[in-house]
Amino acid sequence: MNGPLLYARSRALPGAIAAPPAIALLLAWSASRPDGASWDPGFGLPMEAICPMLAAAVIGTSLYAYADELDRTAVRAWWPRRLTHLLVLTALAATALALAAASGTTCTGASVMARNTVGTVGATAVSAVLVGARLSWLPVTAYLGTAFIAARTAGGAGATVWAWPVQPDRETAAWVTAAALFAAGAALHAYRGPRPDRF
């Protein structure tokens, strides 16, 4: 088995590649429901939070390195592989979810779905460096849930930054925040790799 196939198998890439289209189908199904884009109308957590969160969780867990000691002592630098891995999966997830949002009758626009996916994946990559790939979804899930709940009563210019997933596509600050999160996550992950998991 050659290097690329070993890398893909060790990072569970087949599943990570198959997940975004499956999540996009979930989004398309939810858009056809009478209650629109909300998974639970009583709670109000919309698909623009759930779908990027699911995609980011799958991508985050695929960043796990089974032999981080080998990665650190390899002759060739690993940062191009790590960066390519993250960029390809993010592009796939953002494109699939944006197309699903654009094809439905949901209030979630394609650009908002793409922005939220990019920003959420970036935050997950930062979490993978700080807490490990297997738990990288946990801080991001907690943050997104808090942001969507707190943004109902919060206001002011600062909300466009800390509650960026809730903002409409015309909010420049939300786009800048999502892009900055992704840039930070991609740079940190490419340079450091995920924190070794010891359990």
Side-chain angles (χ1 to χ4, degrees):
M1 192 174 286
N2 60 17
L5 285 177
L6 281 172
Y7 179 90
R9 186 174 179 182
S10 68
R11 265 64 175 186
L13 282 183
I17 291 171
I23 297 168
L25 288 175
L26 173 66
L27 176 62
W29 169 79
S30 73
S32 66
R33 293 177 50 177
D35 54 359
S38 180
W39 181 259
D40 181 358
F43 182 65
L45 190 61
M47 297 306 285
E48 64 201 57
I50 293 174
C51 289
M53 187 171 58
L54 291 174
V58 172
I59 293 172
T61 53
S62 77
L63 303 179
Y64 174 71
Y66 286 92
D68 55 288
E69 297 87 357
L70 294 177
D71 290 0
R72 290 195 301 270
T73 58
V75 175
R76 295 181 181 175
W78 273 86
W79 72 264
R81 293 176 182 85
R82 289 194 288 254
L83 183 60
T84 302
H85 176 150
L86 190 64
L87 289 175
V88 169
L89 289 181
T90 303
L92 175 64
T95 302
L97 294 182
L99 289 174
S103 65
T105 58
T106 171
C107 60
T108 303
S111 58
V112 170
M113 189 63 72
R115 180 199 68 199
N116 287 1
T117 303
V118 168
T120 305
V121 171
T124 304
V126 172
S127 296
V129 174
L130 298 178
V131 301
R134 288 178 174 172
L135 292 177
S136 60
W137 58 273
L138 191 56
V140 178
T141 301
Y143 170 75
L144 285 177
T146 303
F148 271 88
I149 293 170
R152 295 177 175 181
T153 57
T160 60
V161 175
W162 67 263
W164 59 270
V166 189
Q167 305 303 317
D169 59 354
R170 64 180 179 274
E171 287 291 345
T172 305
W175 281 96
V176 171
T177 304
L181 278 172
F182 182 75
L188 278 173
H189 175 67
Y191 178 69
R192 294 286 302 275
R195 180 179 177 177
D197 291 321
R198 302 303 183 193
F199 57 90

